[in-house]
Amino acid sequence: MKVESVDIVIVGAGAGGGASAWALTKEGARVVVLDAGAEYIPEKDYKLGENNWEKNLFPDKDPDKHSYTFGEMQNLENKNDGLRSWSHLHGQYNPANKRLGWRYRHVKGVGGSTLSFAGEAHRLHPDSMKMFSRFSVAADWPVTYKELEPYYQEVEKIIGVSGPVNPGVRWRSEAYPLPEHKSSLASKKIKQACESLQLNWDKNPVSILPKAYDGRPGCNYCNNCARGCPRRDKGSVDVTFIVHARRTSLCDIRSNCKVLKLNKNKLNKINSVEYIDADGKKNIINAKVVILSAGAVETPRLMLLSEIGNESGLIGKNFMETISWNSSALYPEQLNSYKGIPSDGICWNYNAPDAIPDVIGGARFTLAVAASDYLGPINYAKRVVSGWGKSHHKNMTEQFGKVLSISAIGECLPNKNSFIELDPVKKDQNGLPVARINSFITDMTIKRLKFMASRCRDILKSAGVTQIIEEYGSYDIFNAAHVFGTCRMGENKNDSVVNSYCQHHHLNNFFIVDASVFPSSGGGESPSLTIEALAIRTARYIKKQLDNNIL
Amino acid sequence: MKFSRRNFIGFTAIFAGVGGWFFSLVDNKSNESIKSEYILILTSYLDTLIPEYGEFISASKAGVVTELLDKANSDKEYSHMLNNGCDWLESVSQKNYKKTFVSLNEEQRITIITQAENAWRNKPSINNLPGYFFNVARRDGYSFYYQNPMTWKALNYNGPPQPYGFPDYES
């Protein structure tokens, strides 16, 4: 067994870990980053130039990628049948009377889930950070929008964010580093529809380059961000933070290294990390500081496995998931809707936590043709066009490129039945219990989902679609990429796990930097920008503490 | 319950069937490949499902038959299903028309395939051989068909997405 000692170990090279590595190495600290997944080489691994490109989604290299289970799911009620997922060709996607645990979309690898994200770079709505004070739900953030703003700005410059001139309620100290993208034809149709409903359709802030920036080329609008960007114009962590961190020569990234355990010493510090390396050998690495950034499912799992840091009893609790709805329809005219960027427009009208009538927690609406994967002929042939033979050919000619989709993502509020625990039966490749995801949709969430579905349908109808062909959402199927809350941050050590600097309340050299620290989920904003801003803020704090010999 | 790892539309697998377990119960040990006499039947079947029409080329010209046979060569359950499906086509053809399936005219072939399609509509189950055979052939047929760039011309589709992208996305 190899044993070594370093200053800082980071577990996970996604949004939190990658941004931490960059911020620490920039300040002269030396870090080792362990990631359970592989390195991805965009030009080689993302095969969007091959004829069968459409048959493969993100080329996940993790052989253990489904290493989680679901707890018992809730029963579905007839009164909510309008929220069932369905397709005009295939009927109900979940015909059972029980909610279906389908998937937690999480990429293990250097870059984490940003490797397959759609590039959305959202700041949180300032009002959504005070959910407990305002509505007695979730918890307040111990850090304000004003405190995060300079870090948001810094992240946006590193990853290259293109955004609108008018930032709305998300005030800015500087303009976006890159100009906004032009709208696709599909987005223009949604904009017209929104305007007729007295809704705004703004440019969506995205870390997709409208022109060359920081040694990376501008986007060529292939719309396939989720399959991985072979050009490196999408600001995933591997081509931004990690590249810059490596240039310092202070960042040692070790892929395919699966952490087994974090060890605590008698001084209430995490003094070492045990992991299995790419060759299958066990290693121990001693560190002054440990940063855990494995996401809101794997982070609590590792802490529970290690039996550390659960003084509050909150590890794994307050789990929040992606609450989403998606409607797709056929538009009567050619849109070539498979072209563009995944979501160039966004409606923020209902994003504030009190914006939806009689509902606590907001939602946002975006173009979703790419999210629905209506990007090529195979999906049209199998999901849009019915029949076979000559009539199928004829209808393919008429309908290809005409799908218009819109999605809504909304606030998820914590509840006692949604939590992460260790599975009592299933083990991973190393014989350790996997995470078990327990998810429950509350009545308030169902009300929010009904509003989201209704508005999606309104917008499509107002756009002039001829027929809705597919809808799916969180009511009957768990399908989440953005998950939050399982190691909540707060000032009070009795009702939170880490403080406002993501520092564990009881283990002062231990930091958690991922969405598991989110006290509330926001009104549908994509979380990576906030994770990265928190990571930089935390890294500066750590460096200062190390320099002052406090850690 | 285990689900498709590939795509959201993998949900269709829940009832549209990629499982193949039923066929594994039938014969999981033999090293079965497609019977040579069935290759012509399969070709005729696929070319009726996906025919030549206007700028569209036929399934066989797009390489769909070859792809299905390749898949069958590496998946004995799949091979078994195709053999049973072709056997069903031939038996119905003999029963209804007293001819082999490949010698039927287009209208007759369409009639038989419609029978399989209706079987699937009435009972979307992997225990329903003609229906399941129809559904798999349609699903996999179109998947293989539209991975051939020759088929994209009829749709005015200038893919694949890279390396050129779609700089004309505004129009």
Side-chain angles (χ1 to χ4, degrees), chain A residues 377-412:
Chain A
I378 293 175
N379 274 289
Y380 270 81
K382 297 198 315 193
R383 296 165 63 199
V384 179
V385 177
S386 61
W388 49 278
K390 291 174 183 172
S391 68
H392 191 276
H393 284 328
K394 189 168 174 288
N395 289 333
M396 278 292 285
T397 310
E398 289 173 0
Q399 295 174 3
F400 183 68
K402 292 184 178 177
V403 168
L404 193 56
S405 307
I406 188 158
S407 74
I409 300 179
E411 177 108 31
C412 182

Side-chain angles (χ1 to χ4, degrees), chain A residues 122-193:
Chain A
H122 295 157
R123 296 177 173 206
L124 278 175
H125 192 300
D127 290 351
S128 69
M129 300 170 79
K130 297 288 177 194
M131 295 299 286
F132 187 77
S133 322
R134 296 193 60 197
F135 308 103
S136 301
V137 296
D140 287 352
W141 287 62
V143 55
T144 64
Y145 181 90
K146 186 179 178 184
E147 288 169 301
L148 272 185
E149 203 282 337
Y151 301 100
Y152 274 138
Q153 195 72 39
E154 202 168 349
V155 172
E156 288 163 348
K157 286 179 184 169
I158 288 289
I159 64 177
V161 176
S162 147
V165 176
N166 179 3
V169 297
R170 295 163 171 80
W171 60 268
R172 311 177 53 81
S173 52
E174 293 177 47
Y176 276 106
L178 288 156
E180 54 193 39
H181 290 267
K182 291 174 181 166
S183 298
S184 67
L185 194 52
S187 185
K188 289 172 190 166
K189 298 298 179 191
I190 296 287
K191 181 180 173 65
Q192 288 167 5

Side-chain angles (χ1 to χ4, degrees), chain A residues 34 41 44 115 173 218 292 304 311 336 365 416 450 504:
Chain A
L34 305 172
I41 302 167
K44 181 178 161 216
L115 297 174
S173 52
L292 179 55
L304 292 170
E311 291 81 357
N336 289 322
F365 298 77
K416 66 180 172 55
K450 283 183 175 174
H504 194 275

Side-chain angles (χ1 to χ4, degrees), chain A residues 48-49 51 53 55 57 90 100 102 182 188 220 222 339 373 378 382-383 385 387-389 392-393 397, chain B residues 3 6-9 11-12 15 49 51 56 117 138 142-144 147 149 157 161-163 166 168-170:
Chain A
L48 289 171
N51 293 336
W53 66 273
K55 293 173 86 170
L57 291 183
H90 304 298
L100 173 69
W102 185 39
K182 291 174 181 166
K188 289 172 190 166
N220 67 3
C222 86
K339 301 179 180 182
D373 204 24
I378 293 175
K382 297 198 315 193
R383 296 165 63 199
V385 177
W388 49 278
H392 191 276
H393 284 328
T397 310
Chain B
F3 298 98
R6 288 175 44 206
N7 197 336
F8 190 85
I9 64 165
F11 273 120
T12 58
F15 53 93
L49 268 178
F56 289 94
E117 180 188 25
R138 183 189 184 279
Y142 282 123
S143 283
F144 288 125
Q147 72 177 31
Y157 173 63
Q162 294 293 344
F166 303 111
D168 61 344
Y169 71 102
E170 293 173 74

Side-chain angles (χ1 to χ4, degrees), chain A residues 446-501:
Chain A
I446 289 171
K447 280 177 79 174
R448 192 180 309 105
L449 269 168
K450 283 183 175 174
F451 179 85
M452 290 157 58
S454 170
R455 286 271 84 174
C456 284
R457 291 164 186 154
D458 291 343
I459 292 169
L460 287 176
K461 190 177 171 189
S462 180
V465 302
T466 53
Q467 178 197 1
I468 293 184
I469 56 170
E470 182 185 67
E471 294 184 306
Y472 55 85
S474 305
Y475 171 66
D476 59 348
I477 297 168
F478 179 101
N479 174 27
H482 305 155
V483 291
F484 317 85
T486 50
C487 297
R488 172 188 280 180
M489 63 157 59
E491 294 301 355
N492 185 337
K493 62 178 69 172
N494 294 321
D495 59 17
S496 60
V497 176
V498 297
N499 66 22
S500 67
Y501 288 99

